[in-house]
Amino acid sequence: MYNPKPTSKFILFSLVLLLLLSFLALSICSELDLSDDDGDDVEALEELIALDEKEDSHQQNAESEFVSKAQRIVLELNNDNTKRAIDGNEYVLVLGYAPWCVRSAELMPKFAEAATALKELGSHLLMAKIDAERYPKVASTLDIKGFPTLLLFVNGTSQPYTGGFSAEELVIWARKKTGVPVIRINSDAEAIHFLKKYSMFVVGLFDKFEGPDYDEFTKAAKMDNEIQFVETSNAEIAKHLFHNFKATNLFLGLVKREPEKYTEYEGTFSTERILQFLDDNKFPLITVLTELNAARVYSSSNKLQVLIISEPDNFKKLVEPLQDVAIKFKPQIMFIFVDVREDNLAKPFLTMFGLEESKDSVVISFNYRSNLKYLLESDATPTSIEDFCSGLLSGSVSAYYKSQPIPDNVYTPWCITCETTSKQMEKLAKHFKGLENLIFARIDASLNEHPRLQVDDYPTLLFYSADDKTKPITFPTKSSAKDLAALVNQNLKAQDPEIRDEL
């Protein structure tokens, strides 16, 4: 059986309690005379500590019991019951996992929590999980190829899960896909209950739940996969949900739990525009990159991203002023924090810039439209980051190309094929020695970049003519030295008639 990790709230409580108890024990022991005459004081202290430990244990047991109960709601699939479960239910959400997979372990308690919430809401969706390592044949028939994998089966036909990975996001996605894209709220009591459950939502106010504007709203609710939509016809309830609401008969706004809490939609109601509004505003001002949200972040429609790669303690000093900077550049730029301690997330970015050994905070940017990358080459401060962002939008910041220090001598690249090609190039260089208008050079393109050096594979041979340095000619790397010499001759004859044809 899965042994859930304690929640962050519980860990924080335990640490605080431990520190308080340690401080309490030290301070009391330093003040008390621990002789036999004062034994009652010692016993009293021990009783207090015992009570605290009992309360701590009780809380841990309560949380464990909750998670255990939640997981019992999730059906465990095996060789015998899988086909029956999927064929016998209209909706089945399946989690394919492996016991050794860290991401599976992180997702399973959230999946169980979502199952509990859906059951309380009266959903007919069956939540199920399967140990794909223990039952590989069944997992294969379900098309589970990695871990964790989430698939929704509708009348036996599967579709991939496309939502977020918190319990709330799992519930939202599941309800939308099973026929409840919008929640209607008719009273303050319902609004209060709703606000306790959802951290982000779209609220729509309509005089009547009909008409073209309402139709566009409901279409957007069905097409969006991440955000809960809620509707009301009561202006007071709308104000309860969206505190910045101004009296009107038609309204739509996005609510988030962060400094930028209320964002009002402006313009005509169309499905496409509503979805674009959500895409521009659904992420926090500064998104914390995790393995679970990485796919959503990378697939964002915002193609200009600024990443701050740093130690959390250093980043804390930047957070508040950086939120003000993020507001100024929204929605042109998406701001992302990457914890430098998370190697799987941070190291690939640092490697792209040749900054694996950097000890300071690193600020970089990617423009996914132009496929260019940029580096803030000064210290990371709110002012320097703001200037960096302004330069990105104005085009005054130059693209970054990583480069090694100029070497004392040429070396052979790391791949075997590169070594063979390199030796051929040395032979060619000797053959054409003496031609002042021809230079042979080699570069480790995995560690050095240049805007006119576009390398997609190793090795690559490029011939730059004197007439046009922007469009190099690609030579075949599997050619013999003699064939390569012929290609060089062919491209040089127009520039120099005294070319040697024999190798």
Side-chain angles (χ1 to χ4, degrees):
M1 182 179 290
Y2 168 64
N3 184 22
K5 296 180 180 179
T7 64
S8 57
K9 183 178 179 182
F10 171 72
I11 292 173
L12 179 61
F13 172 81
S14 300
L15 289 172
V16 172
L17 180 61
L18 180 60
L19 289 171
L20 286 174
L21 287 176
S22 300
F23 176 78
L24 180 63
L26 286 171
S27 61
I28 292 179
C29 288
S30 64
E31 294 173 6
L32 293 177
D33 178 3
L34 298 182
S35 63
D36 291 339
D37 294 338
D38 293 323
D40 290 342
D41 289 332
V42 177
E43 290 177 6
L45 177 60
E46 290 175 347
E47 287 177 5
L48 284 173
I49 293 175
L51 284 172
D52 286 335
E53 289 177 345
K54 183 177 180 181
E55 183 178 348
D56 187 16
S57 175
H58 176 73
Q59 179 173 345
Q60 184 175 8
N61 290 337
E63 293 193 9
S64 297
E65 183 179 347
F66 170 78
V67 174
S68 178
K69 181 180 178 182
Q71 288 186 325
R72 287 197 296 271
I73 295 173
V74 178
L75 176 65
E76 186 75 54
L77 299 178
N78 54 42
N79 291 332
D80 300 324
N81 66 0
T82 298
K83 189 175 186 306
R84 184 169 64 251
I86 290 179
D87 291 346
N89 293 274
E90 183 179 7
Y91 301 108
V92 185
L93 184 59
V94 175
L95 166 61
Y97 71 94
W100 47 262
C101 173
V102 175
R103 292 186 64 188
S104 294
E106 292 174 349
L107 182 57
M108 286 174 69
K110 297 171 185 176
F111 190 76
E113 186 180 343
T116 301
L118 287 165
K119 184 176 182 180
E120 291 174 353
L121 290 168
S123 172
H124 297 295
L125 172 69
L126 172 65
M127 302 279 277
K129 62 183 179 181
I130 182 167
D131 183 340
E133 185 176 59
R134 185 177 180 183
Y135 304 106
K137 290 184 179 179
V138 177
S140 179
T141 63
L142 299 179
D143 204 27
I144 294 173
K145 299 175 181 177
F147 313 113
T149 293
L150 283 167
L151 296 170
L152 175 67
F153 288 83
V154 181
N155 294 319
T157 301
S158 71
Q159 58 180 274
Y161 178 81
T162 54
F165 294 96
S166 68
E168 178 183 321
E169 289 169 324
L170 285 160
V171 170
I172 291 169
W173 190 90
R175 295 194 82 197
K176 287 192 176 203
K177 298 302 179 183
T178 56
V180 190
V182 183
I183 295 175
R184 183 171 297 177
I185 295 183
N186 299 309
S187 68
D188 283 338
E190 290 177 0
I192 292 170
H193 181 72
F194 177 85
L195 287 171
K196 289 179 180 178
K197 289 184 172 291
Y198 294 91
S199 60
M200 179 169 65
F201 58 89
V202 176
V203 55
L205 172 71
F206 302 92
D207 185 33
K208 296 180 179 179
F209 301 117
E210 58 184 30
D213 291 330
Y214 181 69
D215 290 342
E216 296 298 312
F217 173 78
T218 53
K219 286 178 186 175
K222 292 175 183 177
M223 293 180 67
D224 173 76
N225 290 319
E226 302 174 34
I227 306 172
Q228 182 61 59
F229 279 54
V230 59
E231 62 187 22
T232 185
S233 59
N234 187 308
E236 289 301 317
I237 293 175
K239 188 170 182 62
H240 195 153
L241 296 169
F242 193 102
H243 291 181
N244 294 359
F245 170 77
K246 296 177 183 178
T248 179
N249 292 327
L250 180 66
F251 174 82
L252 188 148
L254 175 66
V255 180
K256 296 184 290 186
R257 287 180 186 169
E258 63 161 293
E260 187 202 28
K261 189 168 185 178
Y262 303 104
T263 308
E264 182 176 349
Y265 175 79
E266 298 178 352
T268 57
F269 276 49
S270 75
T271 301
E272 185 178 344
R273 291 193 61 182
I274 292 172
L275 292 175
Q276 186 60 54
F277 165 75
L278 297 181
D279 214 32
D280 290 341
N281 294 280
K282 65 184 177 183
F283 286 101
L285 289 172
I286 304 172
T287 299
V288 178
L289 187 68
T290 67
E291 290 194 11
L292 290 177
N293 72 5
R296 291 171 57 222
V297 170
Y298 299 148
S299 64
S300 167
S301 63
N302 193 323
K303 299 304 180 186
L304 183 58
Q305 300 182 347
V306 169
L307 295 86
I308 301 93
I309 305 172
S310 172
E311 290 277 355
D313 288 342
N314 293 335
F315 182 70
K316 285 178 184 177
K317 302 171 187 175
L318 291 171
V319 169
E320 288 191 17
L322 200 56
Q323 286 175 336
D324 295 332
V325 174
I327 289 174
K328 293 179 183 179
F329 294 100
K330 183 186 166 190
Q332 299 108 311
I333 297 176
M334 180 177 184
F335 288 81
I336 303 165
F337 166 63
V338 184
D339 187 340
V340 73
R341 301 171 304 176
E342 299 286 344
D343 273 356
N344 290 345
L345 299 173
K347 200 163 186 178
F349 293 117
L350 294 174
T351 300
M352 286 185 209
F353 287 79
L355 299 172
E356 298 93 329
E357 304 303 321
S358 176
K359 302 297 182 183
D360 301 318
S361 297
V362 172
V363 179
I364 60 176
S365 177
F366 290 92
N367 188 327
Y368 292 105
R369 288 189 176 90
S370 62
N371 292 320
L372 294 175
K373 61 181 186 286
Y374 305 86
L375 172 69
L376 174 63
E377 301 197 44
S378 60
D379 292 339
T381 67
T383 301
S384 66
I385 295 174
E386 182 173 351
D387 292 343
F388 179 62
C389 293
S390 296
L392 290 173
L393 294 179
S394 66
S396 61
V397 175
S398 299
Y400 179 83
Y401 299 94
K402 67 179 178 180
S403 176
Q404 293 178 292
I406 298 175
D408 295 330
N409 49 50
V410 179
Y411 64 93
T412 303
W414 47 266
C415 66
I416 296 175
T417 312
C418 292
E419 183 178 354
T420 302
T421 304
S422 184
K423 288 178 179 178
Q424 285 186 329
M425 293 295 288
E426 289 175 0
K427 194 173 182 181
L428 287 174
K430 289 179 181 178
H431 173 67
F432 287 102
K433 186 177 180 180
L435 291 182
E436 295 180 358
N437 64 339
L438 179 62
I439 296 175
F440 285 82
R442 55 187 169 189
I443 184 172
D444 185 346
S446 66
L447 297 175
N448 301 276
E449 299 171 329
H450 190 275
R452 295 180 188 172
L453 180 68
Q454 301 300 322
V455 177
D456 298 320
D457 195 10
Y458 303 102
T460 294
L461 290 178
L462 299 173
F463 179 88
Y464 292 83
S465 69
D467 299 330
D468 188 356
K469 301 291 188 183
T470 62
K471 297 178 181 178
I473 301 166
T474 303
F475 283 3
T477 58
K478 294 183 179 180
S479 301
S480 66
K482 188 171 184 178
D483 290 338
L484 288 172
L487 286 171
V488 172
N489 278 320
Q490 180 182 334
N491 286 279
L492 284 179
K493 279 183 177 179
Q495 303 172 34
D496 191 340
E498 296 183 4
I499 300 297
R500 280 165 283 184
D501 291 323
E502 294 182 2
L503 182 61

